[in-house]
Amino acid sequence: MSLTTETRAADLRVDGFDALAAPAATATATVTDADAARIAAAWAASGEFGEHVVYERGRRWIFAAGVRARVVITRDEVIVDDQGDRTVTAWAGDPADALAAATSSLSMDDWNIYGWVGFDFCAPYHGIFDRVPEDTVLAHLIVPEFEAFVDAGGVDTGTAGAEAARRLFEIASTAKCPGESRPVHVRNDADDYRSRVATAIAEIAAGRYQKVILSRAVDIPFDVDIPATYARGRADNTPARSFLYSLGDLSAAGFSPELVVAVHADRTVVAEPLAGTRAFGISPEKDAAARAELLGDAKEVAEHAMSVRACYDEIATIADVGTAAVGPFMEVRERGSVQHLASTVKGVLADHENPWRALEVVFPSITASGIPKTPAVEAIDRLESSRRGPYSGAVLAASSTGELEATLALRTIFSSGSRAWLRAGAGIVAQSTPEREFEETCEKLGSVAPYVIPR
């Protein structure tokens, strides 16, 4: 339910928090990013609205809550729950085609859908699907019962019903600052990451591929409050997008540094590859020195140029001829505890292509896989000590009108059952050293590890 300012002021004003109750009438009151993240986290933590996805885009937080319809793609099945009507269908071929068919089958004409796509979503496209365990979930998406919003202007209860709108305002008015975090130690090389990097460097020297991103997981030895961790971490991070979700038995909170792909209403396709990393947030002097070092490091510049070229080639395969372009190229973007070399690649989606196909071609991000992508994905499957699951996949928002946006699931904390974990990777090229790449994973883990709040 989208409420007018007059309705909010008359019926739903929350004592002590009028800036949220009537944002259009209170121009002097501003909700900060930290406030907005805290409010969205409080909605999620309340447990009152069921399964949910919080998605921050353009400093506006979307709270997509409840399940009107659900689409789950597993290793062998497409499961669609559509307003109580459940179908389970075997599938083969491309998971993007399975997703397109599943969403096209929904009974509602107009829908927005949110959720996550796991790293193994790419396995059929890159010829390693036989290595994916049978019970693996490749994608889990929901059409929510309602969407509410919060940004600098305040709270908009969107499509929530009257009672849900009332509770959204009440929860927003009493949302507390998150508690104290507990240290998570990230420097223990429990699965011999350095040795796996050395193996990858040798394989690169042998000509098997040019670049591969190898990651490592860090288990958290205590129960985690995922929404509170999100609120605490977002206050100190500068992500391209952020997200918080609880779907099925999986919860996550993340501060994504990169847009994997977006398809806009005008059919513009956009990707934002990152490659090249240095620490950030130490001091102005050290940050500036690290920035200069990053821009002048031949290894980092070459790695970034390779990634941009590969992303350009991917976009060109689904874009109208002559529309693929790069710009801006190789600027430094600050993302929490690290700074990256970053570029933007664009094109116009060809008439015979659809957004799910755009996702399939660009996914997984080169930032999370390597170059060429197929042998890099195969190397990840061989050299990593555990399957990635949702890590380095994407958190996704799409609509029946043909728009789609997928943000890279890095800088993320995950929780499922009794386990909570972090994961981070580094790009391995011929000039890499195991010690420097291990250090890079520590720098990236620093975007989340200091903010983990116990439950």
Side-chain angles (χ1 to χ4, degrees):
M1 183 173 78
S2 184
L3 301 174
T4 67
T5 298
E6 290 75 16
T7 302
R8 290 174 178 157
D11 301 326
L12 292 172
R13 176 167 290 149
V14 179
D15 290 342
F17 225 98
D18 289 352
L20 291 179
T26 54
T28 59
T30 300
V31 178
T32 67
D33 289 352
D35 291 334
R38 177 168 48 85
I39 290 165
W43 290 341
S46 72
E48 296 186 26
F49 307 108
E51 295 174 73
H52 54 267
V53 177
V54 172
Y55 189 73
E56 176 199 356
R57 175 171 52 203
R59 300 177 69 186
R60 189 178 198 226
W61 279 254
I62 304 167
F63 180 59
V67 180
R68 189 178 176 199
R70 186 191 312 270
V71 175
V72 176
I73 310 290
T74 72
R75 170 65 176 77
D76 299 302
E77 296 177 331
V78 180
I79 304 162
V80 179
D81 285 299
D82 185 355
Q83 302 178 99
D85 182 15
R86 177 182 171 91
T87 60
V88 180
T89 308
W91 71 278
D94 294 330
D97 291 341
L99 264 181
T103 53
S104 295
S105 75
L106 295 174
S107 60
M108 64 281 296
D109 292 330
D110 298 319
W111 46 260
N112 293 329
I113 198 164
Y114 302 87
W116 62 269
V117 175
F119 184 80
D120 282 326
F121 187 83
C122 75
Y125 191 77
H126 294 286
I128 60 167
F129 205 31
D130 59 328
R131 304 183 192 181
V132 176
E134 290 185 5
D135 59 350
T136 300
V137 175
L138 305 183
H140 190 158
L141 309 173
I142 61 167
V143 177
E145 291 180 343
F146 71 85
E147 293 158 278
F149 311 89
V150 58
D151 58 20
V155 167
D156 177 354
T157 55
T159 55
E163 178 57 23
R166 184 186 66 80
R167 285 297 295 143
L168 288 166
F169 278 122
E170 288 182 350
I171 293 166
S173 72
T174 58
K176 298 179 180 178
C177 293
E180 293 298 319
S181 60
R182 183 184 296 183
V184 175
H185 301 291
V186 301
R187 303 198 69 88
N188 179 25
D189 191 2
D191 62 355
D192 201 10
Y193 180 78
R194 294 174 178 87
S195 176
R196 292 186 285 116
V197 170
T199 299
I201 294 170
E203 291 184 353
I204 291 168
R208 297 182 66 170
Y209 41 87
Q210 295 171 280
K211 174 184 177 181
V212 64
I213 285 75
L214 292 185
S215 67
R216 63 186 184 95
V218 175
D219 284 330
I220 300 172
F222 53 84
D223 289 338
V224 174
D225 186 330
I226 295 290
T229 299
Y230 172 77
R232 178 71 182 85
R234 180 58 184 84
D236 282 356
N237 269 282
T238 51
R241 307 286 190 276
S242 74
F243 53 83
L244 166 66
Y245 64 77
S246 180
L247 296 175
D249 64 355
L250 179 66
S251 297
F255 315 106
S256 175
E258 177 183 331
L259 181 69
V260 178
V261 68
V263 180
H264 299 307
D266 64 358
R267 297 184 65 82
T268 299
V269 184
V270 180
E272 297 179 346
L274 302 177
T277 304
R278 286 294 184 275
F280 181 76
I282 301 171
S283 70
E285 296 78 13
K286 290 185 177 179
D287 291 346
R291 177 190 179 99
E293 179 183 309
L294 179 59
L295 287 167
D297 188 310
K299 177 260 183 187
E300 302 283 25
V301 169
E303 181 183 348
H304 184 76
M306 273 197 298
S307 297
V308 173
R309 178 53 191 260
C311 185
Y312 172 90
D313 290 344
E314 290 174 341
I315 294 291
T317 67
I318 54 171
D320 284 336
V321 175
T323 64
V326 177
F329 175 66
M330 208 167 68
E331 60 185 12
V332 176
R333 297 178 190 167
E334 298 159 358
R335 297 286 183 251
S337 64
V338 290
Q339 50 190 322
H340 296 288
L341 296 177
S343 296
T344 299
V345 183
K346 294 182 179 181
V348 176
L349 189 65
D351 289 342
H352 63 280
E353 303 287 9
N354 65 58
W356 301 109
R357 169 70 174 165
L359 173 66
E360 179 180 62
V361 168
V362 178
F363 188 88
S365 169
I366 289 165
T367 304
S369 53
I371 303 168
K373 192 176 282 186
T374 294
V377 167
E378 189 276 334
I380 289 167
D381 188 80
R382 285 187 295 104
L383 297 178
E384 292 195 344
S385 59
S386 61
R387 303 206 76 79
R388 291 185 172 188
Y391 168 78
S392 73
V395 175
L396 184 145
S399 73
S400 56
T401 59
E403 295 174 276
L404 180 147
E405 183 173 294
T407 194
L408 185 55
L410 302 183
R411 320 291 194 269
T412 299
I413 182 169
F414 302 97
S415 177
S416 180
S418 61
R419 183 189 178 214
W421 69 100
L422 306 172
R423 193 159 184 155
I428 317 305
V429 295
Q431 299 87 358
S432 291
T433 64
E435 192 58 42
R436 170 58 204 156
E437 304 306 343
F438 179 82
E439 187 64 29
E440 182 170 316
T441 66
C442 293
E443 292 169 354
K444 292 173 177 175
L445 289 164
S447 290
V448 184
Y451 312 112
V452 178
I453 295 177
R455 186 166 54 191

